[in-house]
Amino acid sequence: MSKADRPDQPNAASRFSEEKATYAVRGADTPDFDTGIAAIRNVLKTLPLKPGVYRMHDARGDVLYVGKARALKNRVGNYVQIDRLPNRLRRMVALTRSMTIVTTNSEAEALLLEAQLIKRYRPAYNVLLRDDKSFPFILLRADHKFPRIQKHRGARRHKGQYYGPFASAGSVNQTLNALQKLFLLRSCTDSFFNNRDRPCLLYQIKRCSAPCVGRIDDASYDSLVADAKSFLDGKSSFVQAKLAKEMESAAEALDFERAAMVRDRLRALTFIQGSQAINAQGVGDADIFALAHRNGVMGIQAFFIRGGQNWGHRSFFPAHVAEISEDEVFTSFLAQFYEDVPPAKSIFLDRQLGEADLLAQALSERAERKIEISVPQRGDRVRLVKQATRNAEEALDRKLAESTTQGKLLQEVADLFELPEAPRRIEVYDNSHIQGTNALGAMIVAGPEGFIKGQYRKFNIKNPDTAPGDDFAMMREVMARRFGRLVNPPRAGEDFEPERDENWPDLVLIDGGKGQMSSVMQIVRELGVEDVAFIGVSKGPDRHAGREMFHFPDGREFTLPVNAPVMFYLQRLRDEAHRFAIGAHRAKRSKAITVSALDEVPGIGPSRKKALLMHFGTARAVRNASLEDLQKTPGVSAAVAQTVYDYYHSNG
């Protein structure tokens, strides 16, 4: 399959048949088996015996589940056989109100599309790869006469060679630091490079060859780049032999200064080789995974080996794994993991997976090269897998220990605020503005696993009746919008007890005192929210940290000892809300600063706005310009000039 035919490519919708089965089914969010089964049966009538991906939607249109199938009709038909479904899927069927169907050319394509959609929608009933950090890479740029070496995250849009993934920013920085000493490649930006008239400090400390001022010629720099590529491709012994020979030649020629410099580069190479915690020589490029499972928690350990070098390891703890087999969790994890990360040539696992061949086929099609998934049976590869298994078990032990400590803190929070049980979801709200400008509200979320950053939300203050700087009115607007989306009263006479979804909070902390609490309770009572605990947190006397006052809705107040562990935990929640709110406000303010008056003129895009500003200097000059002057602007047609002139002079 060519790259253009893959479901993850732009314009894929035109190549894949997506049938939006939006059959109208009576009912709100209240779980109902009969309604859910009816929705599925209506879709089932039109399904083909083809491979594809299906999405289950609730009454609000939110995605509940994404699944793939070799034959859609057979797979979706299983959901109407309620007695054969586990409790998790029974709950999902009771919430289902519509489905979306996408047919694909093969089951491998369906697997790729399924992983892509799970990453996009984060459904409540799918196994989720819970990781909010992209992997760092080393990028050797190829868009300049003197290539630059740098750390890179995100989309790989720059021209050049990408080496990775590395497990952490620390492992990348350590490797980059050593590579600078070893190969003396520049790391500065093009603008910095172009404006140098003498070497920078990196040249003085022997971490750059200073091509910016001609201290090295083109051929010699190209040789350094070639050596760097060889090293990053795993040919470190070749580079080591070359440097050793170069050092001997310099010493024989009595060029001791150059011999000393090459000696330092050899030491840097030895440091990199000696810092590998795992000996992976002879393995080549490989990703190694092992899974550990205990007490309902699954942990997966990943090792990244490139060119026989260990580029670090990372632990993952997938979410939504209850009532799901290890095989299904492992397969779903790998499919989602490689949605953003290029796979190594070899993938070694600690167990056989039922869909390993299908996963290998899908990854091979995406990478456009052969990918092998196997369970090693002998030699160094078995040793590496055992080491990954041991690390997975140790990471899981640490996770469970941390969860125990976190669980104790959450139980203390429950006792403190009179909750029936330890909260599963805590929401903290704060406002941020400067004298009422660029005002917004912010919500952060925490739970048993710590902060849930994917659930953070910003609320731009939109109500025109809200006076600038009125914190009480701002918080009322935020609460109305947040809980107005969550409240769905049950239907009259409904026997099925409504269940709150995972987005329903157990505890809400408000940054503020009695006034804020009064404003919040006014709104939530109007909405009929009764099963959520609301607590205000104010700074207390002299606004000193550690002397916070906690406010109940009924007017009760109390404080805690400054050294109480639960006090530190609550302060951490409050400080995270402050950090997120202030950061969001700064970003909004920075964006507002860049807004031009020309943005309001209809038909003026970025290129025409730039042309006008380049010609006149300021937006005010554009506004005051005559029609003849506007028509003289390069890149601006007579019609556009007339539009701009009419916009500013419509009132004469």
Side-chain angles (χ1 to χ4, degrees):
M1 181 176 63
S2 68
K3 183 177 181 181
D5 291 329
R6 299 203 311 251
D8 60 327
Q9 296 301 306
N11 303 318
S14 63
R15 295 185 297 277
F16 293 89
S17 172
E18 178 164 339
E19 305 158 12
K20 292 190 175 181
T22 54
Y23 299 96
V25 180
R26 183 171 51 86
D29 275 352
T30 304
D32 185 293
F33 283 130
D34 294 336
T35 307
I37 292 173
I40 296 173
R41 286 190 187 279
N42 280 336
V43 177
L44 196 57
K45 297 175 184 178
T46 63
L47 289 185
L49 287 169
K50 292 182 179 180
V53 175
Y54 56 92
R55 279 173 269 169
M56 306 285 202
H57 301 270
D58 63 12
R60 292 175 293 184
D62 295 337
V63 179
L64 296 169
Y65 182 78
V66 177
K68 66 163 180 65
R70 181 184 298 114
L72 283 166
K73 192 176 188 69
N74 296 341
R75 183 69 185 91
V76 175
N78 292 336
Y79 290 103
V80 300
Q81 303 177 27
I82 291 294
D83 295 338
R84 299 184 180 182
L85 297 179
N87 291 333
R88 176 180 67 93
L89 296 183
R90 286 164 59 90
R91 291 192 296 270
M92 181 191 72
V93 169
L95 289 169
T96 299
R97 296 296 178 268
S98 64
M99 294 181 65
T100 300
I101 306 299
V102 181
T103 58
T104 59
N105 295 322
S106 67
E107 190 179 4
E109 291 179 8
L111 179 63
L112 293 176
L113 184 57
E114 178 195 37
Q116 179 187 358
L117 294 176
I118 290 173
K119 295 276 284 188
R120 180 191 304 173
Y121 294 112
R122 313 289 293 171
Y125 289 88
N126 279 100
V127 175
L128 298 182
L129 169 56
R130 184 169 49 202
D131 187 62
D132 58 355
K133 296 179 181 178
S134 61
F135 285 91
F137 287 75
I138 286 178
L139 168 60
L140 186 58
R141 300 281 290 265
D143 53 0
H144 194 277
K145 181 180 179 181
F146 296 100
R148 170 191 178 194
I149 192 167
Q150 66 183 87
K151 180 172 69 175
H152 178 83
R153 283 187 188 269
R156 292 180 285 276
R157 298 190 181 97
H158 297 294
K159 183 180 179 181
Q161 287 78 41
Y162 293 85
Y163 299 93
F166 286 80
S168 65
S171 58
V172 160
N173 291 336
Q174 184 181 30
T175 303
L176 272 177
N177 192 23
L179 287 174
Q180 284 181 311
K181 296 178 182 178
L182 179 55
F183 299 112
L184 309 179
L185 300 182
R186 75 178 186 95
S187 58
C188 57
T189 63
D190 289 349
S191 60
F192 186 86
F193 180 93
N194 294 332
N195 288 285
R196 297 299 300 177
D197 54 12
R198 57 177 179 164
C200 67
L201 181 62
L202 288 178
Y203 175 77
Q204 305 297 335
I205 61 175
K206 296 182 176 60
R207 292 195 182 183
C208 181
S209 53
C212 54
V213 292
R215 297 298 174 92
I216 185 172
D217 57 42
D218 296 8
S220 298
Y221 193 88
D222 289 343
S223 178
L224 292 177
V225 171
D227 288 346
K229 289 180 179 179
S230 296
F231 175 80
L232 290 169
D233 287 333
K235 303 174 184 176
S236 57
S237 57
F238 166 78
V239 176
Q240 189 170 22
K242 181 179 178 181
L243 288 176
K245 184 177 181 180
E246 186 177 342
M247 183 179 66
E248 290 176 2
S249 299
E252 290 176 358
L254 304 181
D255 188 351
F256 299 115
E257 183 177 354
R258 176 164 180 76
M261 185 182 70
V262 178
R263 179 203 61 199
D264 292 340
R265 293 175 60 193
L266 268 173
R267 287 178 177 174
L269 175 59
T270 305
F271 170 80
I272 296 176
Q273 294 172 329
S275 64
Q276 306 293 329
I278 299 174
N279 181 11
Q281 292 295 323
V283 175
D285 293 350
D287 293 334
I288 303 167
F289 297 93
L291 182 145
H293 182 195
R294 191 159 50 253
N295 297 339
V297 180
M298 295 190 196
I300 297 175
Q301 187 76 16
F303 285 170
F304 307 114
I305 309 298
R306 296 295 184 271
Q309 301 175 41
N310 172 29
W311 283 1
H313 56 90
R314 186 184 289 188
S315 300
F316 301 88
F317 301 93
H320 305 170
V321 299
E323 303 179 20
I324 303 179
S325 68
E326 294 181 359
D327 187 292
E328 183 178 349
V329 170
F330 212 165
T331 302
S332 182
F333 164 84
L334 290 171
Q336 293 178 54
F337 178 84
Y338 286 118
E339 176 66 21
D340 299 321
V341 176
K345 179 180 178 181
S346 300
I347 299 174
F348 301 142
L349 307 180
D350 67 337
R351 67 195 65 203
Q352 293 286 352
L353 296 181
E355 294 189 324
D357 292 340
L358 176 64
L359 182 60
Q361 178 187 348
L363 294 180
S364 298
E365 291 179 356
R366 167 170 288 169
E368 299 180 345
R369 55 187 170 83
K370 185 173 179 57
I371 306 297
E372 295 182 351
I373 299 178
S374 62
V375 180
Q377 302 298 321
R378 63 180 66 85
D380 290 339
R381 299 179 178 185
V382 172
R383 176 181 54 78
L384 289 171
V385 170
K386 287 182 177 179
Q387 189 163 356
T389 301
R390 185 168 62 254
N391 276 263
E393 293 171 348
E394 292 172 353
L396 184 60
D397 288 339
R398 291 192 296 271
K399 181 70 173 180
L400 292 173
E402 292 171 1
S403 298
T404 300
T405 303
Q406 185 81 352
K408 291 179 180 178
L409 283 173
L410 291 175
Q411 188 57 54
E412 288 188 45
V413 170
D415 297 340
L416 187 65
F417 298 131
E418 302 173 359
L419 305 179
E421 59 184 5
R424 301 288 302 173
R425 180 183 175 96
I426 301 174
E427 295 181 358
V428 190
Y429 293 85
D430 191 15
N431 294 329
S432 185
H433 61 90
I434 294 180
Q435 296 181 342
T437 62
N438 301 307
L440 56 78
M443 175 190 82
I444 66 116
V445 183
E449 306 297 332
F451 293 116
I452 310 174
K453 295 190 176 182
Q455 298 282 328
Y456 288 14
R457 294 293 182 269
K458 297 176 290 186
F459 299 85
N460 289 313
I461 302 303
K462 302 176 180 178
N463 192 337
D465 297 330
T466 300
D470 187 345
D471 284 328
F472 297 164
M474 290 171 58
M475 191 60 73
R476 283 196 298 269
E477 180 178 341
V478 170
M479 290 293 108
R481 286 162 57 188
R482 168 60 178 157
F483 286 94
R485 299 168 183 168
L486 290 180
V487 174
N488 290 285
R491 292 178 292 176
E494 180 60 68
D495 294 331
F496 202 108
E497 182 67 22
E499 296 180 1
R500 299 300 191 190
D501 64 19
E502 63 175 5
N503 292 324
W504 189 266
D506 302 300
L507 172 65
V508 171
L509 299 178
I510 305 295
D511 184 62
K514 292 182 179 180
Q516 286 284 32
M517 281 300 298
S518 177
S519 299
V520 168
M521 297 313 298
Q522 174 187 343
I523 290 296
V524 298
R525 284 168 180 155
E526 290 176 3
L527 293 172
V529 178
E530 298 178 351
D531 55 348
V532 178
F534 289 85
I535 301 293
V537 184
S538 61
K539 288 289 183 64
D542 302 321
R543 302 181 64 82
H544 286 167
R547 304 179 66 182
E548 285 82 355
M549 188 73 69
F550 299 94
H551 306 266
F552 280 90
D554 59 9
R556 288 179 292 156
E557 301 175 351
F558 70 93
T559 188
L560 291 169
V562 294
N563 60 349
V566 69
M567 170 64 92
F568 295 144
Y569 176 67
L570 294 170
Q571 286 174 346
R572 198 157 68 246
L573 295 179
R574 191 267 322 277
D575 292 345
E576 174 67 1
H578 282 338
R579 181 201 65 79
F580 182 63
I582 292 172
H585 168 73
R586 286 174 176 168
K588 184 177 181 181
R589 190 173 73 238
S590 298
K591 184 177 180 181
I593 291 173
T594 63
V595 172
S596 168
L598 293 176
D599 294 336
E600 301 175 2
V601 181
I604 301 298
S607 59
R608 287 168 174 165
K609 182 178 73 172
K610 181 178 179 181
L612 287 166
L613 290 175
M614 290 291 290
H615 186 73
F616 290 98
T618 65
R620 175 175 293 184
V622 175
R623 183 173 65 242
N624 296 331
S626 66
L627 178 59
E628 291 77 10
D629 290 337
L630 290 171
Q631 291 173 342
K632 295 176 182 177
T633 305
V636 174
S637 65
V640 171
Q642 187 69 54
T643 299
V644 174
Y645 183 82
D646 291 345
Y647 179 82
Y648 287 120
H649 299 83
S650 58
N651 295 326

